[in-house]
Amino acid sequence: MLNKILKRCHVIVVSALLSSFLMMPVSAYADTSHANINFADGAIDISVPSLDFGEIDVTSLQNNDTTAQFFQTSLGHMKYYQGDAKLVATDKRFNSRDGFRITASTDGDWYQDEDKVADVTKLALFMKEPGDDDLNMLYGPGAVVMDVDSPILGENSERNFNYDESDDSTDHINFGIFVPNNADVSALKNKTLTTTITWTASDIPEV
């Protein structure tokens, strides 16, 4: 639209100059039109579905790849997520080249319906890089799930959550539930528990 307006103004100027040359001196003015555009900055869109971890058998002291449940005497039980949920972050900012970080955190509380029935001393959510032994607890400040150094405007950045120790690519991470070996969870038998994960987008801290 702006290009069309400027071309029309140019035609008016030329025709005015030709008329003044052939007839009599006149002053010709061509008013230019200014197009005002207001840019509204975007944000980082985060999409994550709910994670269903299934059942945890705290009576089992075995490692089971099929159910993705494992036991370590010095630690306790670990039950990994096996679904197809994933984190999808879309950078819609104009300054998207600045990069961003996604963290996940919880307050550590677990509920059955609206009743609090457990806290982080009995069950704790964690994330773990495939092939890494460290469990990064989501309690408190949380854990870094994704760093994107050079995002492209409108492009999706993804991390898959399904359990796979062999997939050490940057688009995969393991999520799990940790039950400490000294935790008394007998009161939680046959209960369906839920907790809330908070996903936060922020700048990558400067080193």
Side-chain angles (χ1 to χ4, degrees):
M1 179 63 182
L2 184 55
N3 289 335
K4 291 182 179 179
I5 292 173
L6 291 178
K7 288 180 181 178
R8 189 179 305 118
C9 292
H10 181 66
V11 171
I12 293 172
V13 172
V14 172
S15 62
L17 290 175
L18 287 175
S19 298
S20 64
F21 179 77
L22 295 175
M23 297 179 62
M24 55 183 298
V26 295
S27 297
Y29 298 93
D31 293 331
T32 58
S33 297
H34 299 277
N36 296 320
I37 303 175
N38 295 321
F39 289 94
D41 198 5
I44 299 172
D45 288 349
I46 302 175
S47 173
V48 189
S50 298
L51 307 181
D52 186 349
F53 290 86
E55 295 183 348
I56 303 177
D57 183 4
V58 293
T59 64
S60 174
L61 305 182
Q62 305 298 318
N63 295 328
N64 191 325
D65 285 320
T66 302
T67 61
Q69 180 172 321
F70 305 92
F71 178 77
Q72 292 187 23
T73 305
S74 59
L75 293 175
H77 295 87
M78 287 159 284
K79 169 68 175 178
Y80 288 90
Y81 173 74
Q82 291 182 287
D84 57 2
K86 62 183 176 181
L87 163 67
V88 180
T90 308
D91 196 343
K92 297 182 178 180
R93 303 170 299 167
F94 292 130
N95 59 339
S96 60
R97 288 175 295 178
D98 292 346
F100 63 89
R101 165 173 289 180
I102 304 294
T103 57
S105 62
T106 72
D107 61 6
D109 295 334
W110 294 82
Y111 295 83
Q112 182 182 37
D113 297 325
E114 297 182 357
D115 299 325
K116 178 181 173 180
V117 294
D119 59 21
V120 70
T121 63
K122 299 184 184 299
L123 298 170
L125 277 174
F126 69 88
M127 53 162 276
K128 187 174 81 68
E129 299 284 351
D132 192 351
D133 293 332
D134 294 333
L135 305 182
N136 299 303
M137 298 299 172
L138 272 59
Y139 177 68
V144 177
V145 182
M146 174 190 294
D147 271 347
V148 180
D149 296 321
S150 301
I152 298 175
L153 180 63
E155 184 174 86
N156 292 339
S157 298
E158 301 181 357
R159 292 210 84 174
N160 298 303
F161 296 155
N162 60 301
Y163 175 71
D164 189 345
E165 278 295 307
S166 64
D167 187 353
D168 59 356
S169 61
T170 57
D171 63 354
H172 186 89
I173 197 167
N174 294 325
F175 267 80
I177 294 177
F178 172 61
V179 182
N181 56 9
N182 60 350
D184 181 6
V185 292
S186 57
L188 304 180
K189 182 179 179 180
N190 296 327
K191 284 183 168 59
T192 299
L193 309 182
T194 61
T195 191
T196 300
I197 302 175
T198 300
W199 306 87
T200 304
S202 63
D203 293 330
I204 298 177
E206 295 183 1
V207 178

